[in-house]
């Protein structure tokens, strides 16, 4: 499978690609440029939202045109039409060198969010769980670059990638308590494939993983650890992916210019753009809403 260019942009770090099925639009962010992108693939209508700080995570809510964003130091509620931004809780406010990274809501509505250091990635990060009453629990510490998260269809397994450790771990997931129990390293990514970044999951339980430095989205079977297939992307740093579109048969992919040499930027001028691939799979729900009291 091969991805093709869908929308040309120059994102330093294009991340958190999210399909909002109720309004038929695709959202993603450029973390360092503080931009929220909005694109309708049916009409090719594009707009953007300029935010006050770095932004790394997009999570739907139960209300139309309303999303949760993770900005530096806080979670905010944002309305796409009204463009209103309301802080709902602070995140590590006493640690200016820490910022949110990738995050997703679990099937029952908790928000799981990675926290990383801006410059020192050696076991300085963490994975947190934000409850429906907005209390924050640190679930894992000693993380490097906490990234992609996905749950199986039954909601009993959570898969989580730490890019700095080059692997995807499998946890038993307790939806009643929002607790995880380590089971195994499901996938140890060979260094020649780059490192695992954002990811999603299909109805067959296969993980579709964006590989930073790997020129593609790799399709892994977490039960066997086997690489099943790959979506080729014509740029090195692939950052996030999600299923969407009218028939849920499109894979949307974000990429990045960060980390490239000047020579690589010339060789891969589409780096930082949005790509799409038509896929033959059943996608299910890729983005659950965060449910607050």
């Amino acid at each position: 499978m091969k991805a093709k260019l869908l929308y040309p942009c120059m994102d330093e770090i294009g991340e958190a690609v999210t399909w909002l099925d109720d309004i038929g639009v695709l959202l993603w962010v450029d973390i360092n440029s503080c931009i929220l992108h909005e694109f309708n693939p049916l009409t090719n209508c594009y707009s953007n939202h300029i935010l006050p700080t770095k932004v790394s995570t997009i999570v739907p809510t139960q209300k139309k045109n309303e999303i949760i964003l993770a900005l530096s130091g806080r979670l905010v509620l944002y309305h796409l039409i009204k463009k209103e931004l309301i802080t709902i809780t602070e995140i590590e406010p006493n640690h200016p060198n820490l910022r949110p990274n990738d995050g997703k809501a679990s099937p029952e509505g908790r928000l799981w969010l990675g926290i990383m250091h801006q410059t020192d990635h050696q076991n300085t990060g963490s994975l947190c769980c934000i409850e429906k009453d907005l209390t924050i629990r640190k679930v894992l510490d000693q993380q490097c670059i906490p990234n992609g998260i996905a749950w199986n269809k039954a909601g009993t397994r959570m898969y989580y990638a730490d890019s700095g450790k080059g692997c995807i771990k499998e946890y038993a997931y307790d939806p009643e308590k929002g607790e995880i129990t380590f089971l195994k390293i499901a996938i140890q990514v060979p260094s020649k494939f780059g490192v695992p970044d954002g990811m999603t999951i299909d109805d067959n339980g296969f993980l579709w993983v964006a590989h930073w430095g790997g020129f593609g989205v790799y399709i892994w079977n977490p039960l066997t650890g086997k690489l099943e297939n790959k979506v080729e992307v014509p740029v090195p740093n692939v950052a996030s992916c999600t299923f969407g579109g009218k028939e849920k048969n499109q894979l949307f992919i974000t990429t990045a210019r960060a980390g490239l040499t000047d020579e690589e930027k010339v060789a891969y001028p589409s780096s930082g753009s949005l790509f799409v691939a038509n896929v033959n799979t059943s996608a299910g729900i890729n983005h659950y809403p965060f449910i607050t009291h």
Side-chain angles (χ1 to χ4, degrees):
M1 290 180 285
K2 291 187 177 181
K4 63 181 181 180
L5 181 67
L6 179 59
Y7 187 82
C9 48
M10 302 285 282
D11 288 344
E12 276 299 298
I13 307 177
E15 263 287 7
V17 64
T18 303
W19 173 255
L20 297 183
D21 194 49
D22 58 343
I23 57 175
V25 301
L26 194 70
L27 303 176
W28 74 101
V29 302
D30 184 355
I31 295 177
N32 291 349
S33 300
C34 313
I35 295 173
L36 170 66
H37 299 283
E38 181 178 345
F39 181 69
N40 185 321
L42 290 179
T43 64
N44 288 322
C45 182
Y46 170 84
S47 61
N48 62 36
H49 309 254
I50 307 302
L51 299 165
T53 63
K54 291 181 180 181
V55 54
S56 65
T57 294
I58 302 167
V59 179
T61 70
Q62 293 180 299
K63 295 182 179 179
K64 192 173 182 178
N65 292 307
E66 186 181 81
I67 56 174
I68 299 289
L69 298 174
L71 303 184
S72 296
R74 56 183 172 145
L75 274 187
V76 302
L77 195 65
Y78 186 73
H79 197 281
L80 294 169
I81 305 298
K82 300 176 183 178
K83 299 193 175 184
E84 293 176 346
L85 187 152
I86 301 170
T87 297
I88 58 175
T89 190
E90 292 187 325
I91 302 168
E92 299 283 11
N94 299 320
H95 298 278
N97 288 323
L98 298 178
R99 70 160 177 84
N101 198 38
D102 211 346
K104 279 184 180 175
S106 54
E108 81 286 352
R110 293 179 174 90
L111 176 54
W112 291 76
L113 185 65
I115 307 295
M116 63 177 282
H117 197 280
Q118 303 267 25
T119 55
D120 178 8
H121 301 152
Q122 296 302 311
N123 298 315
T124 52
S126 61
L127 180 67
C128 296
C129 177
I130 302 173
E131 297 285 352
K132 299 177 183 182
D133 63 0
L134 301 177
T135 57
I136 301 175
R137 291 186 289 119
K138 185 179 290 187
V139 179
L140 298 175
D141 58 10
Q142 299 292 304
Q143 302 301 291
C144 296
I145 305 176
N147 246 311
I149 308 172
W151 285 264
N152 68 346
K153 197 173 182 179
T156 57
R157 294 290 184 271
M158 187 180 90
Y159 301 99
Y160 159 66
D162 185 335
S163 297
K165 297 178 181 179
C167 66
I168 298 172
K169 295 180 180 180
E170 179 181 341
Y171 295 85
Y173 188 73
D174 183 342
E176 292 289 327
K177 299 178 180 179
E179 294 179 350
I180 58 175
T181 304
F182 175 74
L183 297 177
K184 65 178 182 179
I185 294 178
I187 299 152
Q188 185 67 55
V189 176
S191 59
K192 65 181 179 180
F193 294 157
V195 297
D197 201 319
M199 67 179 169
T200 191
I201 192 168
D202 66 21
D203 279 351
N204 296 316
F206 290 173
L207 298 174
W208 296 60
V209 186
H211 282 222
W212 186 277
F215 287 88
V217 173
Y218 291 64
I219 305 167
W220 296 95
N221 183 339
L223 299 181
T224 64
K226 180 183 175 183
L227 179 63
E228 299 288 340
N229 208 336
K230 179 186 176 184
V231 179
E232 302 280 351
V233 182
V235 301
N237 291 342
V238 183
S240 72
C241 59
T242 194
F243 296 109
K246 187 176 180 181
E247 305 298 330
K248 309 293 192 302
N249 63 348
Q250 293 179 294
L251 184 74
F252 298 106
I253 303 162
T254 64
T255 63
R257 293 173 60 80
L260 299 181
T261 64
D262 290 340
E263 291 79 10
E264 287 172 325
K265 289 176 182 178
V266 172
Y268 307 106
S270 296
S271 290
S273 293
L274 176 72
F275 292 83
V276 66
N278 294 323
V279 296
N280 183 22
T281 191
S282 180
I285 298 174
N286 274 213
H287 297 278
Y288 298 98
F290 178 37
I291 302 171
T292 58
H293 290 162

